[in-house]
Amino acid sequence: MKCRHCQTPLEHVFLDLGFAPPSNAYLNKEQMQAPELYFPLKLFVCHQCWLVQTLDFTRADELFSADYAYFSSVSSSWLNHAKLYAEMIMKRLDLDQNSLVIEVASNDGYLLRNFVAAGIPCLGIEPTASTARAAREIGVPVLEEFFGEVLGQRLAKEGRQADLIAGNNVFAHVPDINDFTRGLKAALKPGGTITLEFPHLMQLIAYNQFDTVYHEHFSYLSLHTVERIFSSAGLRVCDVEELPTHGGSLRVYGCHENDARADAASVAALLAQEEAAGLHDLALYDTFQARANKVKDDFLSFLIAEKAAGRMVVAYGAAAKGNTLINYAGVKPDLLPYVYDAAASKQWKFMPGSHIPILPPSMITKLRPDSIVVLPWNIATEVKTQMAHTKEWGARFFTAVPEMMELP
Ligand SMILES: [Zn+2]
């Protein structure tokens, strides 16, 4: 297998999580009677461009055949993050009724709704029918297509180049990252700005976030690698911010390579920080499997100890992260009988692989569990606040990553 960006043959395994079903393949009752598809879940690191990437395998399109259950607007903290970004970027780029904002992977309109409200023309690009429909219902125009060079060039030909192209948590999820980046280049107006947000590989390694690894998450990115990918498509990284979202993300600002604006000092500073952290050295990548295994072992030990002590443990949040952790640990309903989740689209279904049933959060008062493991640790505090009524019977909250611990 060759590197998806630079075509160098890949020799170095970064992480091997065995086999797992697609993390978003929630099962209904009928599907529970049928065979389930498992794919290798293995990451390589390219020693030329340092792109960390999932193993390629045939039938990858099957991962995307299901209509995803994920609606961005379910998370109130994510909605707030989107609103703050919209206010900031409208001001920074002086966007008005003559501008065009394109968002790639616009989901249910959680972000573009802010531009619609401000009277700024926008266009969402979203291949998933159910979320695209939800976006249209709140007045966000949507093209129901996959984004890449072909669509970017078509938008350019139609005179629909954008002043701003935003992409939140999509860059790491596209199988052909070079084609996607060429699409950004084609759809960007001269003088226009691209902003992309994605989890930062440096934080993934520093905080043992191996559970953010899943098949649909093709690339694990450093600023160094993104700069190389941009450069090969005729784009330039001109600014970067570190964000707390998803356990530590980057917001990269891009422009055409010949754009007049100078690079912000933050770009060189973060590149130096990545190098100092060892991101350009195979030794750092070699130690990660052992750290992932320790997190997995500690999670299992916790579940077994709680069970032995006669305490009931449940989980909160049927997110992709949880599926990676649970399936790698081999946990089944005997150790973790239920997962509670606020998304109606997941409730009364079963977690892929582990087959743990997913229930609405309101039902937690029936079971009154002693311990609740919050699987999406990035929103653990928000979840604990929402579930404050569990204090009534003294429930305790835990997270498993970066290590097994109780929430304060
Ligand atoms: Zn490479």
Side-chain angles (χ1 to χ4, degrees):
M1 179 189 161
K2 290 182 175 169
C3 172
R4 288 205 188 92
H5 170 56
C6 75
Q7 309 304 318
T8 301
L10 295 173
E11 299 166 10
H12 306 281
V13 175
F14 170 57
L15 181 66
D16 188 346
L17 297 177
F19 280 69
S23 65
N24 284 307
Y26 299 95
L27 305 166
N28 60 31
K29 264 198 174 130
E30 292 72 50
Q31 288 164 319
M32 289 281 280
Q33 312 301 322
E36 196 175 1
L37 273 176
Y38 277 60
F39 299 86
L41 189 49
K42 195 170 181 178
L43 296 186
F44 286 85
V45 59
C46 171
H47 56 278
Q48 281 300 322
C49 73
W50 303 107
L51 177 64
V52 171
Q53 51 202 292
T54 51
L55 172 74
D56 261 333
F57 43 84
T58 51
R59 309 175 77 183
D61 48 337
E62 284 181 39
L63 298 175
F64 295 99
S65 62
D67 201 359
Y68 277 3
Y70 185 74
F71 283 72
S72 296
S73 296
V74 168
S75 165
S76 56
S77 60
W78 186 240
L79 273 179
N80 191 44
H81 173 78
K83 185 165 180 278
L84 293 175
Y85 162 81
E87 286 165 2
M88 178 280 294
I89 202 78
M90 282 181 217
K91 217 183 272 175
R92 177 168 167 159
L93 302 182
D94 264 329
L95 300 174
D96 59 24
Q97 68 276 10
N98 300 313
S99 310
L100 177 63
V101 175
I102 291 178
E103 188 191 10
V104 185
S106 51
N107 197 273
D108 57 10
Y110 74 99
L111 174 68
L112 289 179
R113 64 197 301 167
N114 298 292
F115 295 93
V116 170
I120 296 167
C122 61
L123 176 65
I125 296 168
E126 174 54 63
T128 305
S130 58
T131 49
R133 198 180 315 122
R136 286 194 195 98
E137 278 166 15
I138 56 168
V140 175
V142 183
L143 265 184
E144 227 169 279
E145 289 181 53
F146 279 101
F147 185 77
E149 191 174 15
V150 169
L151 179 52
Q153 284 178 350
R154 200 178 89 214
L155 289 168
K157 238 177 248 157
E158 294 169 355
R160 291 206 275 179
Q161 280 182 320
D163 298 272
L164 169 65
I165 306 177
N168 287 336
N169 297 307
V170 58
F171 200 47
H173 287 75
V174 292
D176 189 344
I177 201 163
N178 289 338
D179 178 74
F180 183 90
T181 310
R182 288 192 296 265
L184 294 175
K185 166 83 180 171
L188 188 68
K189 215 181 255 183
T193 302
I194 297 161
T195 70
L196 299 176
E197 292 181 24
F198 49 84
H200 191 190
L201 177 64
M202 189 170 81
Q203 309 297 348
L204 181 153
I205 294 174
Y207 296 101
N208 300 333
Q209 297 163 354
F210 78 93
D211 58 341
T212 63
V213 172
Y214 48 91
H215 301 103
E216 305 91 319
H217 189 179
F218 289 94
S219 305
Y220 302 79
L221 300 159
S222 62
L223 180 61
H224 170 82
T225 303
V226 170
E227 196 180 47
R228 286 183 69 138
I229 296 169
F230 268 36
S231 168
S232 71
L235 294 167
R236 177 157 62 84
V237 173
C238 55
D239 198 357
V240 64
E241 292 164 6
E242 288 184 275
L243 307 172
T245 46
H246 296 282
S249 296
L250 294 184
R251 178 185 289 148
V252 161
Y253 292 74
C255 60
H256 289 291
E257 60 190 342
N258 59 0
D259 193 282
R261 78 191 100 166
D263 292 348
S266 56
V267 178
L270 192 59
L271 287 171
Q273 210 184 321
E274 286 184 348
E275 189 160 11
L279 284 175
H280 303 170
D281 188 345
L282 281 171
L284 178 73
Y285 299 91
D286 283 344
T287 58
F288 193 67
Q289 180 85 47
R291 289 165 52 197
N293 288 349
K294 170 142 189 2
V295 171
K296 184 254 300 174
D297 292 350
D298 290 350
F299 174 56
L300 260 177
S301 301
F302 168 82
L303 294 178
I304 293 167
E306 289 287 282
K307 188 178 179 181
R311 287 191 289 269
M312 175 178 270
V313 189
V314 299
Y316 187 97
K321 286 188 186 68
N323 283 321
T324 295
L325 174 67
I326 285 171
N327 284 326
Y328 185 47
V331 169
K332 298 283 185 289
D334 62 312
L335 285 176
L336 202 56
Y338 298 103
V339 176
Y340 296 86
D341 197 283
S345 54
K346 294 178 189 169
Q347 291 163 3
W348 309 109
K349 292 188 176 172
F350 299 83
M351 301 278 271
S354 64
H355 297 179
I356 299 171
I358 304 166
L359 298 176
S362 60
M363 290 191 68
I364 206 161
T365 51
K366 292 217 159 107
L367 216 60
R368 297 165 75 96
D370 303 289
S371 307
I372 302 166
V373 181
V374 184
L375 297 170
W377 37 260
N378 51 309
I379 54 163
T381 310
E382 181 184 340
V383 168
K384 195 182 171 191
T385 307
Q386 283 166 3
M387 305 292 281
H389 59 286
T390 59
K391 262 192 232 150
E392 194 186 308
W393 65 86
R396 297 160 74 199
F397 287 78
F398 297 84
T399 49
V401 174
E403 57 187 343
M404 199 66 228
M405 60 183 176
E406 183 170 358
L407 288 183

